[in-house]
Amino acid sequence: MPESLNTLDLITDASLLVQLVMLLLLLASLMSWVIIFRMSARLGTANKFDEQFETWFWSGEDLAKLYQGVQGSPNRQGLEQIFYVGFSEYLRMHKKRQPKDDIIDGVERKLRVGLGRQQQLLESGLTTLASIGSVAPYVGLFGTVWGIMNAFLGLSQTEQATLAAVAPGIAEALIATAMGLFAAIPAVLAFNHFTAKSSRLYDSRALFCDEMTGMLQRETSSQNMLNTESKLTENRTTAITANQVTGS
């Protein structure tokens, strides 16, 4: 490549506006890669912790003991936090002796809130990736159009129009488009990948919430049956005692 068409020289010789566009695209590209690495680590860690907690949850341990173990954890996240929020509500409403349907409805609301908040933390950064992926090509195209416009304006002021005269201006303008694509393509690919991965995690957590609600519903029904049987036994005992007293 001739020295006059060296890429670095083209960038330094570009107009101020085109240079600002290139700088903006470079910063956007760096930002997208920082988000990509952070989200990759976050989603990987979330998936790992969810699998560990599910193994613990389905190990057959009593829910009250499981709750006590989770309660002592200072950094609850994912399914662990969702379980903690839901079971805390269950204990609170059960302590107040609320009706079974009210208890289950309250637990479901808390589980949905906990699930939504955890998903918001998980998807933090996706909006930025989507914005970079959609806007960067247009920013680069704006820089290209502006650079080509300046190249032709400069060409109009020369007596002899040649390709050598206009080529550097067009080349430096096209660099802006290339940088826009360089920023946008990884951002779009990462957005699609992380969206699919976070959706799978959301579906898995939502299924866990349904299973947990079913377990608590069965446990509440069992406790209600035990309470009913206990009251019937007390009533029979009271009636037998009263008959004995009357007969004597």
Side-chain angles (χ1 to χ4, degrees):
M1 177 181 290
E3 185 66 25
S4 59
L5 293 181
N6 182 276
T7 303
L8 184 60
D9 291 339
L10 290 174
I11 294 175
T12 55
D13 293 338
S15 63
L16 178 61
L17 181 61
V18 176
Q19 288 180 344
L20 290 176
V21 168
M22 293 179 182
L23 179 61
L24 179 63
L25 292 172
L26 179 62
L27 293 176
S29 179
L30 293 175
M31 182 184 298
S32 68
W33 280 106
V34 169
I35 294 173
I36 287 170
F37 286 122
R38 285 183 176 178
M39 289 202 67
S40 179
R42 188 191 308 147
L43 287 167
T45 302
N47 189 45
K48 179 181 177 182
F49 277 118
D50 282 2
E51 289 179 353
Q52 291 177 350
F53 181 78
E54 281 202 272
T55 302
W56 186 20
F57 183 83
W58 296 113
S59 62
E61 188 170 356
D62 184 67
L63 292 181
K65 292 182 180 179
L66 184 62
Y67 174 77
Q68 291 177 355
V70 170
Q71 191 177 22
S73 177
N75 299 317
R76 292 184 296 271
Q77 59 178 305
L79 285 182
E80 192 176 43
Q81 175 64 17
I82 294 171
F83 166 79
Y84 176 79
V85 169
F87 201 78
S88 296
E89 181 69 9
Y90 171 78
L91 293 178
R92 186 184 70 83
M93 297 191 72
H94 191 268
K95 187 177 180 180
K96 292 182 177 180
R97 299 184 181 277
Q98 297 290 331
K100 170 189 169 183
D101 292 339
D102 292 345
I103 294 176
I104 298 304
D105 289 342
V107 170
E108 287 180 343
R109 284 194 299 271
K110 282 294 183 179
L111 288 174
R112 284 196 298 268
V113 171
L115 178 62
R117 287 178 177 172
Q118 289 301 307
Q119 196 67 15
Q120 285 180 349
L121 295 175
L122 199 64
E123 295 179 351
S124 175
L126 276 180
T127 304
T128 304
L129 285 179
S131 299
I132 292 174
S134 60
V135 174
Y138 296 104
V139 175
L141 183 60
F142 169 75
T144 297
V145 172
W146 187 269
I148 291 176
M149 183 181 67
N150 286 336
F152 280 107
L153 286 175
L155 185 63
S156 66
Q157 297 174 1
T158 61
E159 295 180 358
Q160 185 177 2
T162 62
L163 182 61
V166 74
I170 295 177
E172 71 185 28
L174 290 175
I175 293 175
T177 298
M179 292 185 67
L181 295 175
F182 180 78
I185 292 174
V188 171
L189 292 175
F191 174 81
N192 293 334
H193 172 71
F194 292 139
T195 299
K197 197 169 183 179
S198 62
S199 295
R200 287 194 296 270
L201 272 173
Y202 180 86
D203 292 339
S204 177
R205 289 174 174 179
L207 182 61
F208 171 83
C209 291
D210 292 339
E211 292 171 338
M212 179 178 169
T213 302
M215 291 180 64
L216 294 178
Q217 191 171 12
R218 289 191 296 270
E219 185 169 337
T220 304
S221 299
S222 300
Q223 289 178 354
N224 288 338
M225 289 179 64
L226 290 175
N227 292 335
T228 302
E229 291 177 357
S230 177
K231 289 180 180 179
L232 289 174
T233 303
E234 290 178 359
N235 291 337
R236 292 195 193 99
T237 304
T238 302
I240 292 172
T241 304
N243 290 333
Q244 291 177 349
V245 171
T246 303
S248 63

